[in-house]
Structure formats: structure tokens, C-alpha cells
Amino acid sequence: MITRNNIILKGENDRAIVLDYEYEETSTPLPVVVFCHGYKGFKDWGTWSLMGSALAKAGFLFIKFNYSHNGGTVEQPIDFSDLEAFGNNNYSIEVRDTIRVLGWIENSELPVDRHQINLLGHSRAGGITTIVTAKEPRVSKLITLAGVAHHAERFPDAKGIEEWKEKGVIYVKNARTKQEMPLFYQFYKDFLQNEEELTILKQAEKIKQPHLILHGEKDEAVLVSEAHDLHKASPYSQLKLIREANHTLGASHPWNSDRLPEDLRQAVQCMVNFMKGS
């Protein structure tokens, strides 16, 4: 097993993309899994490293990274020490950061099979990876895990938008860290300026790659109806619902076990079967 922690790539606005990878020693190129974290997320949250180890043991080169504006820093990649960066994040930045990581993989000296690059996005990143896959022939397969299907519906109502524009910022509570996390109005403005590209279902219709949609039936954060919407839009998709599973498939942060929760273990097995299938 080889793991390299916290490689630094240049992301949006010269901010760092902190990345690590894991794989079993090999003499042949390996298929790749690129994991993209969701909203208020980070690459070392909860069970993501355990999930990566499971995928590495299954024969994949696993890569995970922090988006450049996720609120972490090089020195503190876990949690949110830079709320100014968090507030200046938007969907377009995350799309471009994901494409930057694909470019790094293509030019790296890792033992990667460049014909087998799989994107895996959780929650908000399910939408981001859907958008990226629609425009990126370098992606061979897509997996969305508890992925969102709608961006526009997550914004405030008209009155809330007006207040946001007037004040320049709104705040969201992080239940775990107790932080009041800012979202600057640029977030909504960027969406309006790029609405066609950032409308997930419109982009899903363009996907030509195989697409696995994994979703918990008891997801409390992204309703299972969004998985059905995505499945209807994405022409080469298959839908797998995990009974009784919540948004994080039984995981939490911090995670103090060396075993995956059962729902996430089941999801990982589905991923392996899908990526190793023809």
C-alpha cells in the first residue's frame, strides 16, 4: 500500500487544492477513482479515508482532494479555518477545480490507466461531477453518491435573494462545528451568469458515459426523489437505492472505527461492481 498525503496543487485564485492518493503496489496501470467532497465537506471527513482504502484494496488508485475554496487551508485541511474563502466559493469554481485535478492526473507519474478515470461525487459534488462528466471525455464512468439534482431550488426565495443582495452575505450554521459560515452574494450571481452550464439535469442529458446513482432511501438532506430525477435525465444511468440509508450512509465525523458502516460498505461494493463491469 502506498499513500501520499497532502500534495498541493494550484487551484482557483491561486488557492491550494490539497490532495492525497492511495493504491496497492503494482506493475501495471490502475483504474482511478477521484472522490469529490460535498458542501461543508473535506477529503478527510469521517469515513472517506476508509472508503479509499477499501477501493485501493479492490484494485483502484484512489484520489481525494479538498476544493480550493472549501474553507480549509494547507496548514489546517480539516474543518474550516478560512471562512472568507468558504464564502467566496461557488459551483463554477468547483467545476474548474475538478477539471484541474483531471489535468494533474493526466500529467502525473502515477501508475494510472488514463482510459479508466472514474469520478465519484458525494452530495453537492454529485451535481458538480455530473456537470464535469458532461463536458469531459477524460471521465470514463461517473458515480454520484447521495447526489443533488437541482441547484436552483437550493437558493432562498425571492425575498431572501433580495435581502442577500442588499446585505452581500447570508450565514449558514454548521451544526457540528457551531460556526456561522458566510455565503457571499457572488455565489448566486455566478449561478445566474452560468445557469445553463450549472443546471444539473440539463448537463446530465448530455452524458455519454455509464453513470451509477447511489442513494439512501432515508436520506434526510437530499431527498431520494432527486436520485429519480437524475436517473430520468442521465441516459446511461442505473439507479441503486440503499434501504434505510441516510445521507452519509451511516458515517459521521469523527469516525472512531476501522470498519465502514454497513450502508457505506454496501455502497462501496456497488461501486466496485459498476467500475469493474464492462
Side-chain angles (χ1 to χ4, degrees), residues 2 24 45 88 141 160 199 207 276:
I2 292 181
E24 297 275 4
W45 182 91
N88 280 301
K141 291 183 178 180
T199 298
I207 291 178
K276 288 191 173 183

Side-chain angles (χ1 to χ4, degrees), residues 31-273:
V32 180
V33 180
V34 183
F35 175 71
C36 306
H37 68 75
Y39 180 52
K40 292 186 286 187
F42 47 97
K43 68 181 180 67
D44 297 314
W45 182 91
T47 55
W48 298 147
S49 292
L50 275 178
M51 179 180 72
S53 295
L55 289 167
K57 289 175 184 175
F60 296 91
L61 192 155
F62 180 79
I63 295 169
K64 56 183 168 68
F65 67 95
N66 283 345
Y67 281 113
S68 62
H69 287 64
N70 81 319
T73 64
V74 174
E75 297 76 22
Q76 294 179 280
I78 295 177
D79 287 339
F80 310 104
S81 58
D82 191 343
L83 292 180
E84 182 78 10
F86 181 89
N88 280 301
N89 197 15
N90 58 52
Y91 298 131
S92 295
I93 287 174
E94 293 187 349
V95 168
R96 291 192 291 267
D97 278 350
T98 306
I99 292 171
R100 286 184 178 96
V101 171
L102 293 176
W104 175 80
I105 293 168
E106 189 172 44
N107 295 305
S108 77
E109 296 182 358
L110 293 174
V112 301
D113 182 345
R114 290 169 177 80
H115 300 292
Q116 294 190 69
I117 296 178
N118 306 280
L119 274 188
L120 167 58
H122 176 250
S123 192
R124 175 159 126 177
I128 298 300
T129 52
T130 297
I131 293 165
V132 171
T133 300
K135 65 197 301 182
E136 267 292 343
R138 287 180 291 192
V139 177
S140 57
K141 291 183 178 180
L142 169 66
I143 302 171
T144 50
L145 179 64
V148 302
H150 307 284
H151 281 152
E153 294 178 7
R154 286 177 159 75
F155 289 112
D157 60 19
K159 182 180 178 181
I161 293 290
E162 281 303 312
E163 292 178 356
W164 192 5
K165 183 177 182 179
E166 180 181 335
K167 294 179 180 179
V169 62
I170 56 176
Y171 292 89
V172 293
K173 182 83 170 183
N174 188 317
R176 183 175 59 82
T177 67
K178 310 307 180 186
Q179 291 166 294
E180 293 288 342
M181 305 183 75
L183 290 174
F184 299 123
Y185 184 70
Q186 63 79 31
F187 183 75
Y188 182 63
K189 186 176 178 181
D190 175 78
F191 176 76
L192 291 181
Q193 291 172 341
N194 301 283
E195 188 167 0
E196 178 74 22
E197 179 180 348
L198 296 176
T199 298
I200 298 166
L201 296 185
K202 286 186 179 180
Q203 298 307 312
E205 292 171 354
K206 303 175 185 178
I207 291 178
K208 297 180 173 63
Q209 299 95 318
H211 177 188
L212 175 62
I213 300 165
L214 288 168
H215 214 102
E217 289 186 335
K218 300 296 185 181
D219 193 325
E220 72 289 358
V222 180
L223 297 182
V224 70
S225 60
E226 297 204 40
H228 289 285
D229 291 344
L230 194 55
H231 182 41
K232 290 175 185 175
S234 185
Y236 300 98
S237 66
Q238 53 184 280
L239 175 62
K240 171 65 177 177
L241 300 181
I242 299 176
R243 295 185 63 186
E244 303 301 319
N246 67 2
H247 187 58
T248 57
L249 294 99
S252 58
H253 184 85
W255 186 255
N256 298 316
S257 171
D258 60 359
R259 295 175 61 86
L260 288 170
E262 177 57 29
D263 290 338
L264 185 54
R265 187 204 63 76
Q266 182 181 341
V268 168
Q269 188 58 59
C270 291
M271 296 176 198
V272 171
N273 294 343

